[in-house]
Every structure is written in structure tokens, then in C-alpha cells.
Amino acid sequence: MKLHLLSTLLLIFTFTFGFAQKDVKIEGAVIEEDTNIPLEYATVVVKTKADNKIISGGITDSKGKFKLEVPSGTYLISVEYISYKTKNFPEQTISENINLGTISLALDVSTLNEVMVVAERTTVEIKLDKKVYNIGKDLTTAGGTVSDALNNVPSVTVDVEGAISLRGNENVRILINGKPSAMAGFGDGNILSQLPAEAIERVEVITSPSARYDAEGTAGILNIILRQKETLGFNGSVTLTAGNPDNLGVSAALNYRKEKYNLFSNFGWRYNDSPRNTYTDVDYFDTTDDNGQLLTPTYRRIIETKKVKRLNRNYNANIGMEYFLNESSSLTGSLFYNFGNDADTSINSSERFNDGTIVEETYRREKETEKDNRFQIALNYVKRFGDDSDHKLTADFQFEKDNEDGLTYLDENYIFTDQTAPDPFQIEQEFTYEDQKEYLFQADYVLPLGKDSRFEAGYRGNFKNSNTDYQLDQEDTDTGIIAINEEISNIFDYTENVNALYTQYGSKLGKFSFLLGLRLENTQLKGKTDSEITGDELDFDKNYLGMFPTVNLIYNLSSADSDVEESITLGYNRRINRPRGWYINPFPSRSSRTNIFQGNPNLDPAFSSTFDLGYLKRWEKFTLTSSIYYQHETDSFERVQENTGQQTTDGIDIIRTIPINLSTNKRTGAELGLMYNPEKWLRLNSSINFFQFETDGEFNGVDYGAKNTSWFARFSSKVTLPLAIDWQTSAFYRGARQDAQSDTEGIFSLDLAFSKEILNKKATISVNVRDLLNSRKYKSVTTTDFYSRYSEFQWRQRQVNVSFIYRFNQQLNKRERAERTGGDDMDFEG
């Protein structure tokens, strides 16, 4: 903690007096004794001899190098690093540039246990355009997935269906290591529920993205940074997981580092069987047609109970190599592959009532299989200029391909009915084949201007194409022959091309820093349909040219001699929400016989402007973060439900869900986060987010305007018990919310975990229970002019996991990246 306080003082001092005249340079490199491993984030301190006053200081870069500027004079110099013995240089009279050479630091074994506590903390750093949450050791997600880990990050929620929201808004952009990636899926987060949580090093919550980032995502960006070991030699870890309901997994992270190259890899296999339950109770109303004729529903009430067994098998691998071409440039190549093989079996019991009496009951069995093959090839080139590691050019290329092959079989039969001669149900088979490709070309140039300013410019091109081939086979109930339904079967080819140029400039002026940027994006959306009944009248080709300015400001309120860190941030950005392929696919998808989803080819992108005011104050043991925000979105998306006017063969109304552009969506909110570490054995962490949104618009003569207030909060604690057993509790509550047609109840969940290090701290065994009370259920009431529906939905039941993690040859395990709990709050790298 002494070193952390000292580092904070050094950084504040540097920011405050950054423009003082300097005329002498001090440089050198810091390595670990015996292994010669470069030590990143080692602290270098320069003090006056007379009064022991700090004159300057800094930290080492990824290669262990440092460079300082001080006035000519006589100084005391020290080099410090957590868990190492401090290296002191006696009185040094410096009148010209000096190189201290390579400085070796020896381990201080007596401090290692203390450092372990520091490294495990989940901490937050405030940057000009983002908040960085260092995950630490989150025991409740051990053996879990990336989606589980995200659900413990402040401002982020993952609902019961796996949809990710930022501040209650689902239009969030997911990046992996700063780029779109096959690991995050093609426009969805499904694959995040398959990757192991242990792969994450930190999560960047970017609510006010700089111009460097893609303008997609009106809520903002979640940038997931994956772990990549850099320890010399061969090292890694292996994780084994077993749980109930069935959850088996094996993952390994292996790394081999030499001076000229670094080989890294992650492998994983996962098997789970997650039961899912759905219950709906629908009351149908009398309606009138266009001529005022009264229309009476065939059934007044329908109750459906659906139980689903989900068998998921998933394999993923990520291998790559970083090769250091010379001192100033490197080339990195990687290959990611994922194969998923899912098989779901569902049983749906449907009871139909008239005048309070059950008149019919049916039993539907549905089998769905899906195979998903996806891979990504990525290349990255970095060129640094001169001695300044911040002056660089980077170039990236990515190619992704995904093939999904699905089959759904549906068979329904009567248990009993009051009909004298009911029409038999048709056996249905759905075949869906989807082929998706995506290319990414990106180049970024960073030019430091003096010590405290930076200019950036770059280009990014994203080119996506997806082809969906849908075929519906139905039984002829008279002959028993199953044949293609040509009227519903279709092919939809969708292309999204985005070209973008950006530039931004940032600078520090004493305690004040700013980052101004402008991004120009051209979006082309093209859709081509192939169906026997539509021809080409549903084809479209749209172009949108948009300017996206960004402004990010930060003011450091801390004084040079204060041990309290305090700052205020202000951000503004304009962003876009592009409709995804399934949102504009004009052909209906049959999630059931009575409910369909149909895309809207006339859907236009939504544009938003967001203001964000933040405040951070950090004491020695307590951290407070807060912000208030306002967003105004035009042409926002809203999914509405309406009666198609059609019925099934047994007389049930068919309901359609369709996305539309509402005129406006206004969001106002506030969030507060608290982190408290009163003792080494106790950690408390809580956050609350309160928001209100108001929509305004109509569709087909129906007013869908709504005003809603909701909130969510989380609390976690970690206690070290006797025998060095860690106990972690995590609670989450999402308040009730409403939209144009639905009211949704609040949801509460509670997670528990216990962990113990064994085998001389080379291994960890943990036990966790997610959703201890089995209360994570989605309950809502939807009301339209045609019906009122009550729904209960549980995506995953209570889960108990046991995990075993073994680490080998990780010399830096007990201190790795400990200093990242601090950091430069003036950093404005996009």
C-alpha cells in the first residue's frame, strides 16, 4: 500500500507540473534478478538530497525501460516494485544525460503473501473515454463463462436469455481486445456463454467511446481484454470443471516466450445440459374488423407449459504467435476456431379454455439440432518510431467465417378435444443454413506532440455478408407425404459494408486533459430475397453517411501532496444503431405455430447523442465512482406485437412480433459504485444504476409511446476465513420495468463461492453456487388490443460447480500485474 500511495503521488505530481522546464534525461531498464524478465510498471523515484522532496518519477514500459527528465542537480534515485527489494542509488550529481544501465531487482519473499491480496482485488480505473474493471479473482464465476463474468461488472447486466445490456440498454457493441471478433459472435453474444471466464484479464466499460472506436452501439462498448502471459519460458494453467445440472469443462492456457517471439494458446471443451422452463397464460379479447363486425376468439384462454432439455457441446481453440522483427516492430498472427453441437428437446403442453372450462389439450414435441462452425484469422503489425514507444503505426487484418446448420422437427397431437372431427396437426420440419463472412481492415497512426499531447488518425473497413437459406417441409395430412412449402421457404442474402475515417487530438494542461475526435462513416445495407411468392420487390440497397463527433474531458481535483485521488469527467458522443440481418429479414421465423418473428426491410438505423458526467474519488481503502447521463435517440427500434388476422388449423390467432422505428427514445440515468477494502481479509463492492426512458411513436395507427423508470443493483463481498479459505457472496437485483406493451417484474439472484489454494499455491480448488435461491426468472405481462399474456421464463436453473485450476512455471503468479490496480487516469488511448 505504501508503494501504491507513492505511485499515486508521483503520477499526480507529474500531471500537475508536467510543463516545468527539463534539461537532463535519466534512463535505464529494470529486470528480475536470476530470470532477466523485464519488469513492467516498476516505479522510479528521483528525490532531492537536501530535503528528500520528490522531483520526478515514472514507471517502466512493457520492456522494463524508463526515461525521466529532471533539472540538473544532486539527487537520490530509487527503483521499486511490489514484492521486490528496493534498489537505491546513493547521491548522484547529474549535469548531463545519464543511463543507469540494466537494474536487477531481487524478490522480497516476505512480502509475497501481502501482494497476493492486492492482485486479487477487483479495481476500477477512470480514463478519459472509459472505465477499466480489472476482474481479479471472481470466485463466483470460476468454472463459468465470459457471460457470467460480465454479469458481475458494474453498469452491465446479462438477462435470463443471455442478452447483454449496458445501463439497461441492449444496444451495446462487444469487442475482443479492441476489435470485432468471432469470439463475440456475428452480431450476438451467444458464443460468450461458451468461452471460459478465466480467459478474461479485464473489461473496459466504454460509455463515451473516442473517435477511434466503431460508432456502432448507442449504449456504448464493452471491450473484453483476454489474458496473454508474457513470462519467459514455457508456462500456463489448466482448469477442470464439473457441475450440476450437467456441466463439464476442460480448458488450458499455454504460453512459450523467448526473446524473439511469444507463442500463446487457449483451448477449451465444454459439455452442459441446462434445463429451461417456460409458462404462458393468455386471455383473448373480442375485437372488431374494419367494418365494425364483432370477432369472437375460438378460445378465451390458453395455458402453455414448456420444458426444454438443452444439450450443448462446444470446442474452442485460439493459437497465435507474436514475433519481434526488431527493437521497434512486431508481427502477431492468430487463429481462433469454435465448434458447437447443440441438441434441444422440448415438450409443450397446451390447455385451451372457454367459459372457464377446458375444452382441448394438445401435446407438442419439438427437437432442434444445430451445428456451428466458426473461425477467425487475424494479423497485427506494430511499428514504433524512434525511442518513443507511443509514436507508432499499427495495421490489422481479420477474416471470419461462420456456418450454422439447423434442423427443427415438430409433431403435435391431441390429448383430448370437444371437436367432433378435428383437423389433424401437420408434422413440420425446418431446415436453416446460414453462411456468414466478415473482413476487417484497419490502420491506426499515433503521433505524440511533445510530452503531453497526442494526435491520432486511422481507417477501418468492415465488410459483412450473410446468406440464410430457410426451408419449411410440411405434412400433407391426407397422404402423409412431407413436402416443401414453397410459399414460406426462402433465401435472404444480406450485406453490410462500413467504411470509416477518424482523427482525434488529446492533450494535458496541468490538471486538465481533453480528447477531441471526429469519425466519418459510410454504411451500406443491401438485402436480396429469393422466394417463389415475393420476386424481388423486397430487395433493398441503402446508404447512410454520418459524422460522429466525440468530446472527452477530465479534471484532476487532487493536490500534489494529497493521498486522495479525485477527478471529474465529462463526455459527449454521437453513435449509430444499425439493424442486424434478422431484424430486416422480411420472411417470418416460426418459433411456434402461433407466434412468429418477422423482420422489417424498411427499418432504418437509429442515431443517438449522449452526455455523461462522471466523478471519482479514491482513498486508501475506499473508492467511489459515480456518473449521470442523458441520451436522445432518433428512429429508435422497438419490437411490437400484433395480430396477423390469420389462424392456425385449430383456430388459434397467429401473433406477429416486428421491429419498427419509433420517433424518439430519451434516456436519463445515474449510477453509483462503492469499493471498500477495510482489511486484507475483507473486500466489499456494490453498485446501483437508476434510469428512466421515454419512447414516443406510433405504428399502424397504434400509439406505442411509453415512459418507464427502472434500476438494478449488485453487491459482493469477499472474506478470508481461517485456513486461508476465501468466501465470496454476490447478490443482484433488477427492478421492475415497462415498455410500450409489457410490464416485467423485478429479478433477484444470489451467488456463493468458496476457494482454497493448495499444492504450495500452485493450484486452486473452488466451489460455487449460482442462483442459490433459484429465483432468476423472467416474469412479465403483455397487453394488446387482442390479448393479455402472463409469462414466466427461466433460462437456466440453479447451478453448482466445482473447479480445479493448476498453474505451472508462472514465476510472476503472485505479483503479476499487481500495479495495474493504479494507473494513469489521464490516459486517452482509444
Side-chain angles (χ1 to χ4, degrees):
M1 186 56 66
K2 177 181 177 182
L3 179 55
H4 178 71
L5 175 60
L6 183 58
S7 300
T8 303
L9 289 171
L10 287 173
L11 293 171
I12 294 173
F13 180 91
T14 303
F15 300 150
T16 307
F17 299 97
F19 289 94
Q21 182 65 37
K22 308 291 195 303
D23 54 10
V24 178
K25 292 182 180 179
I26 303 175
E27 58 184 319
V30 183
I31 63 173
E32 181 184 55
E33 191 175 279
D34 299 328
T35 66
N36 295 329
I37 298 172
L39 295 181
E40 184 180 5
Y41 294 100
T43 304
V44 184
V45 183
V46 181
K47 300 179 181 179
T48 59
K49 179 178 181 297
D51 53 8
N52 209 37
K53 179 181 178 181
I54 297 177
I55 292 298
S56 184
I59 56 177
T60 56
D61 61 18
S62 60
K63 296 182 179 180
K65 296 181 180 180
F66 66 89
K67 184 183 295 185
L68 306 173
E69 293 184 351
V70 298
S72 299
T74 301
Y75 301 107
L76 304 175
I77 303 174
S78 63
V79 180
E80 304 177 358
Y81 194 82
I82 285 183
S83 76
Y84 288 83
K85 296 178 181 179
T86 300
K87 186 83 168 185
N88 293 305
F89 290 84
E91 180 178 327
Q92 299 277 326
T93 300
I94 303 175
S95 58
E96 58 185 18
N97 295 345
I98 182 174
N99 191 323
L100 298 178
T102 301
I103 303 166
S104 300
L105 298 185
L107 275 171
D108 186 353
V109 180
S110 64
T111 67
L112 288 181
N113 290 334
E114 178 179 354
V115 174
M116 279 292 291
V117 177
V118 176
E120 291 175 5
R121 293 179 181 172
T122 298
T123 60
V124 60
E125 304 172 44
I126 304 297
K127 307 293 185 181
L128 260 170
D129 57 350
K130 60 195 169 189
K131 296 177 184 176
V132 181
Y133 292 96
N134 299 297
I135 296 299
K137 282 190 176 179
D138 192 337
L139 307 181
T140 62
T141 63
T145 66
V146 170
S147 290
D148 297 322
L150 288 178
N151 207 34
N152 284 352
V153 174
S155 304
V156 179
T157 57
V158 182
D159 70 14
V160 292
E161 295 179 312
I164 299 170
S165 299
L166 179 59
R167 291 174 167 175
N169 188 346
E170 291 186 6
N171 185 229
V172 56
R173 179 70 157 160
I174 308 294
L175 302 179
I176 304 292
N177 295 332
K179 303 178 187 68
S181 174
M183 295 185 190
F186 287 82
D188 60 64
N190 291 336
I191 197 170
L192 298 180
S193 63
Q194 301 165 353
L195 296 175
E198 289 79 15
I200 297 181
E201 177 177 323
R202 65 185 186 275
V203 176
E204 297 178 347
V205 178
I206 310 173
T207 54
S208 184
S210 68
R212 172 184 285 195
Y213 292 104
D214 185 358
E216 170 70 29
T218 55
I221 294 172
L222 289 181
N223 186 23
I224 302 170
I225 307 299
L226 302 181
R227 297 184 187 275
Q228 182 175 325
K229 301 291 184 182
E230 295 183 351
T231 306
L232 285 174
F234 180 64
N235 58 87
S237 64
V238 177
T239 302
L240 305 176
T241 301
N244 181 269
D246 291 350
N247 181 33
L248 299 174
V250 178
S251 63
L254 306 176
N255 190 84
Y256 183 66
R257 172 70 186 269
K258 301 291 286 186
E259 292 296 335
K260 290 290 291 182
Y261 62 87
N262 181 37
L263 295 171
F264 54 89
S265 63
N266 287 276
F267 303 94
W269 170 81
R270 185 178 178 87
Y271 169 96
N272 65 78
D273 187 358
S274 304
R276 185 180 75 205
N277 301 305
T278 304
Y279 172 84
T280 60
D281 187 348
V282 186
D283 290 312
Y284 291 91
F285 308 142
D286 289 335
T287 58
T288 57
D289 60 17
D290 295 337
N291 299 319
Q293 183 71 31
L294 181 67
L295 301 177
T296 302
T298 304
Y299 302 102
R300 286 292 182 180
R301 184 184 183 192
I302 298 178
I303 297 176
E304 290 190 348
T305 303
K306 186 176 183 179
K307 297 183 180 297
V308 183
K309 296 181 65 176
R310 298 184 298 162
L311 177 62
N312 301 320
R313 288 152 292 183
N314 182 267
Y315 312 83
N316 63 78
N318 184 35
I319 58 175
M321 181 178 74
E322 180 180 13
Y323 185 76
F324 305 99
L325 301 172
N326 50 50
E327 286 288 330
S328 62
S329 61
S330 65
L331 181 66
T332 303
S334 64
L335 171 65
F336 170 77
Y337 174 74
N338 176 267
F339 173 72
N341 189 0
D342 302 339
D344 296 354
T345 301
S346 66
I347 303 298
N348 191 325
S349 174
S350 178
E351 298 175 323
R352 297 152 192 180
F353 297 81
N354 278 325
D355 300 324
T357 302
I358 184 169
V359 296
E360 188 172 274
E361 183 177 1
T362 62
Y363 179 88
R364 185 172 72 244
R365 183 180 60 173
E366 186 175 341
K367 291 184 177 181
E368 181 179 1
T369 60
E370 181 179 82
K371 293 183 179 181
D372 187 356
N373 273 283
R374 70 179 75 199
F375 70 88
Q376 171 186 287
I377 299 172
L379 293 173
N380 169 262
Y381 172 76
V382 179
K383 170 63 178 178
R384 302 182 185 275
F385 301 93
D387 296 330
D388 192 342
S389 60
D390 290 333
H391 184 195
K392 61 184 178 180
L393 172 69
T394 62
D396 293 273
F397 167 76
Q398 286 182 183
F399 171 69
E400 304 172 13
K401 183 176 175 61
D402 181 24
N403 293 318
E404 296 181 14
D405 194 355
L407 167 64
T408 301
Y409 173 86
L410 191 149
D411 185 16
E412 188 166 1
N413 295 284
Y414 291 101
I415 302 299
F416 74 87
T417 179
D418 64 351
Q419 301 181 58
T420 55
D423 293 330
F425 294 106
Q426 293 175 301
I427 292 176
E428 292 186 353
Q429 294 182 149
E430 290 181 286
F431 300 88
T432 304
Y433 179 78
E434 189 169 9
D435 179 76
Q436 303 180 84
K437 300 182 181 69
E438 179 174 350
Y439 294 86
L440 167 72
F441 300 92
Q442 180 173 332
D444 300 284
Y445 177 68
V446 181
L447 175 65
L449 301 174
K451 180 178 175 59
D452 298 297
S453 300
R454 179 184 298 177
F455 169 80
E456 296 185 44
Y459 163 81
R460 175 182 287 183
N462 269 91
F463 309 97
K464 306 177 186 177
N465 176 262
S466 65
N467 186 282
T468 304
D469 189 341
Y470 174 81
Q471 177 182 315
L472 176 65
D473 292 357
Q474 291 179 312
E475 178 190 21
D476 185 325
T477 55
D478 294 329
T479 64
I481 297 175
I482 298 177
I484 297 177
N485 185 325
E486 299 288 358
E487 294 186 353
I488 295 180
S489 300
N490 61 82
I491 297 175
F492 180 59
D493 189 90
Y494 173 68
T495 298
E496 177 185 299
N497 297 326
V498 181
N499 287 280
L501 295 170
Y502 81 91
T503 182
Q504 61 184 20
Y505 173 76
S507 186
K508 304 172 186 177
L509 306 172
K511 293 186 176 184
F512 176 74
S513 299
F514 66 87
L515 179 61
L516 308 177
L518 183 64
R519 189 177 186 91
L520 174 67
E521 287 194 352
N522 176 257
T523 301
Q524 181 186 38
L525 305 179
K526 295 195 299 184
K528 184 176 178 58
T529 59
D530 185 0
S531 173
E532 189 173 279
I533 63 172
T534 62
D536 59 0
E537 63 267 22
L538 295 178
D539 295 355
F540 59 89
D541 188 346
K542 301 180 180 180
N543 275 275
Y544 304 90
L545 183 66
M547 301 284 287
F548 301 93
T550 61
V551 178
N552 289 289
L553 314 173
I554 188 168
Y555 184 74
N556 188 352
L557 299 172
S558 307
S559 59
D561 57 351
S562 173
D563 59 356
V564 177
E565 181 182 346
E566 188 176 15
S567 61
I568 295 176
T569 59
L570 176 64
Y572 164 78
N573 63 86
R574 183 174 187 261
R575 300 188 63 73
I576 185 174
N577 181 11
R578 304 181 186 94
R580 295 303 173 190
W582 71 290
Y583 253 43
I584 54 180
N585 186 337
F587 300 107
S589 62
R590 297 164 61 87
S591 58
S592 74
R593 294 190 308 115
T594 58
N595 291 277
I596 63 174
F597 179 89
Q598 186 171 1
N600 180 3
N602 296 316
L603 203 63
D604 292 323
F607 294 88
S608 71
S609 293
T610 305
F611 297 87
D612 190 297
L613 178 64
Y615 173 76
L616 172 134
K617 192 166 185 178
R618 179 162 29 215
W619 294 266
E620 181 179 351
K621 297 181 179 181
F622 185 80
T623 300
L624 179 149
T625 61
S626 62
S627 66
I628 56 176
Y629 53 90
Y630 171 78
Q631 180 184 85
H632 183 273
E633 185 176 359
T634 58
D635 289 330
S636 60
F637 302 162
E638 182 80 22
R639 288 189 293 183
V640 300
Q641 296 179 353
E642 59 180 10
N643 196 318
T644 62
Q646 301 174 343
Q647 291 186 331
T648 61
T649 56
D650 50 340
I652 302 177
D653 291 338
I654 297 176
I655 305 301
R656 177 179 73 164
T657 300
I658 184 171
I660 61 172
N661 287 113
L662 284 178
S663 58
T664 60
N665 186 347
K666 301 175 184 177
R667 285 179 175 267
T668 305
E671 56 185 351
L672 176 69
L674 304 173
M675 295 183 182
Y676 183 45
N677 302 98
E679 302 292 341
K680 296 178 181 178
W681 54 269
L682 177 62
R683 184 191 75 192
L684 304 174
N685 187 356
S686 66
S687 64
I688 184 170
N689 194 303
F690 175 88
F691 55 91
Q692 179 184 85
F693 64 85
E694 181 179 357
T695 58
D696 177 25
E698 65 175 40
F699 179 69
N700 286 347
V702 179
D703 184 4
Y704 289 99
K707 188 174 184 179
N708 173 48
T709 299
S710 188
W711 62 283
F712 61 87
R714 55 170 47 89
F715 171 82
S716 68
S717 65
K718 184 177 178 184
V719 180
T720 302
L721 303 173
L723 303 179
I725 297 175
D726 288 330
W727 167 28
Q728 184 171 330
T729 304
S730 179
F732 172 81
Y733 180 78
R734 177 167 183 165
R737 65 187 190 276
Q738 300 83 36
D739 59 26
Q741 294 179 313
S742 300
D743 294 315
T744 304
E745 295 183 14
I747 298 177
F748 175 79
S749 63
L750 179 68
D751 301 338
L752 292 180
F754 297 89
S755 174
K756 167 70 176 175
E757 291 196 336
I758 57 177
L759 302 180
N760 196 27
K761 297 188 177 181
K762 292 183 178 180
T764 303
I765 186 170
S766 63
V767 179
N768 62 51
V769 184
R770 290 202 291 274
D771 196 12
L772 176 68
L773 306 178
N774 205 34
S775 58
R776 195 170 173 83
K777 298 178 181 179
Y778 179 95
K779 300 178 181 180
S780 66
V781 176
T782 300
T783 304
T784 72
D785 294 336
F786 307 97
Y787 65 88
S788 175
R789 180 177 64 200
Y790 171 78
S791 302
E792 287 187 10
F793 180 77
Q794 186 175 25
W795 181 259
R796 183 175 64 185
Q797 298 179 12
R798 179 194 300 114
Q799 181 77 48
V800 181
N801 289 322
V802 178
S803 295
F804 175 79
I805 303 175
Y806 182 77
R807 301 171 290 268
F808 59 93
N809 296 339
Q810 295 189 15
Q811 297 98 324
L812 299 184
N813 176 58
K814 298 180 180 179
R815 58 189 182 277
E816 186 176 28
R817 300 293 183 261
E819 284 68 33
R820 293 191 180 184
T821 58
D824 182 357
D825 65 352
M826 300 300 182
D827 179 20
F828 49 76
E829 181 177 358

